[in-house]
Amino acid sequence: MRPLTEPQIRASFVNCTKGEAKRLHVPRDLADRPWEDLDYLGWSDPQAPTRRYLVTEVDGATYGVVLRINEASVGAARRSMCSLCITVQSGGVSLMVAPRAGKAGQQGNSVGTYICSDLACSLYVRGKLRTGTPGMHETLTVEQRATRLVANLESFVARVRA
Ligand SMILES: [Zn+2]
């Protein structure tokens, strides 16, 4: 994806208030992120351990999503599969909950999905990071896996924005 600046990231959030988007934690090392290998930028919040953030591009527009880790799912040692990158990990995938955008979110509606806890899906599909968990045997190329990750990201963002 194209490298993003802090103001672009703050302006991209679809499921929190403008005030929250202004205050939330944005990584300081944006310049050092491996943008060319990323389908989305994901990070955690040192001040709020259950918070996660994900920013991606769909059709040239940038969308940021605020997520909360469902704590009951943290530390579970069982094997689970990330629904974005389809990587199987033991204890490295968490149920993440995103409030829906707008009124639906204010009324408490949310979208839950299983995502790699470290939000490094892009690096798993490219083989730049390995899980240590024997996964499914996949015959897809890196390019096909990245395309699938992008498609899953797009449908996730669409569900949050719907
Ligand atoms: Zn993943």
Side-chain angles (χ1 to χ4, degrees):
M1 65 188 289
R2 285 179 301 159
L4 297 171
T5 63
E6 183 179 331
Q8 286 173 320
I9 289 173
R10 292 195 187 282
S12 73
F13 282 95
V14 298
N15 66 340
C16 67
T17 65
K18 286 208 165 74
E20 281 177 276
K22 211 182 266 180
R23 289 188 306 269
L24 59 79
H25 171 81
V26 171
R28 298 230 167 84
D29 61 345
L30 290 174
D32 301 327
R33 297 279 167 154
W35 294 99
E36 63 274 20
D37 286 330
L38 295 183
D39 300 301
Y40 72 86
L41 178 70
W43 70 96
S44 54
D45 189 333
Q47 269 107 49
T50 60
R51 284 276 204 134
R52 296 289 183 280
Y53 307 99
L54 177 164
V55 178
T56 191
E57 267 180 338
V58 179
D59 296 329
T62 308
Y63 298 104
V65 177
V66 175
L67 300 152
R68 188 172 42 78
I69 283 204
N70 180 317
E71 291 192 80
S73 75
V74 174
R78 64 196 171 80
R79 281 160 56 109
S80 19
M81 192 179 76
C82 170
S83 33
L84 295 181
C85 68
I86 322 297
T87 295
V88 176
Q89 298 203 49
S90 292
V93 174
S94 305
L95 176 60
M96 301 210 194
V97 178
R100 302 253 316 268
K103 244 194 198 125
Q106 285 158 24
Q107 289 165 353
N109 285 318
S110 60
V111 176
T113 193
Y114 283 88
I115 305 180
C116 293
S117 310
D118 56 6
L119 297 165
C121 300
S122 311
L123 302 179
Y124 291 120
V125 302
R126 286 166 180 78
K128 307 244 165 177
L129 253 187
R130 302 205 177 266
T131 62
T133 307
M136 294 179 301
H137 177 67
E138 285 218 273
T139 50
L140 297 185
T141 63
V142 165
E143 206 162 279
Q144 287 168 323
R145 295 181 73 196
T147 304
R148 180 175 62 187
L149 169 57
V150 168
N152 290 337
L153 270 169
E154 286 181 10
S155 73
F156 174 65
V157 169
R159 278 163 66 209
V160 172
R161 295 178 64 217

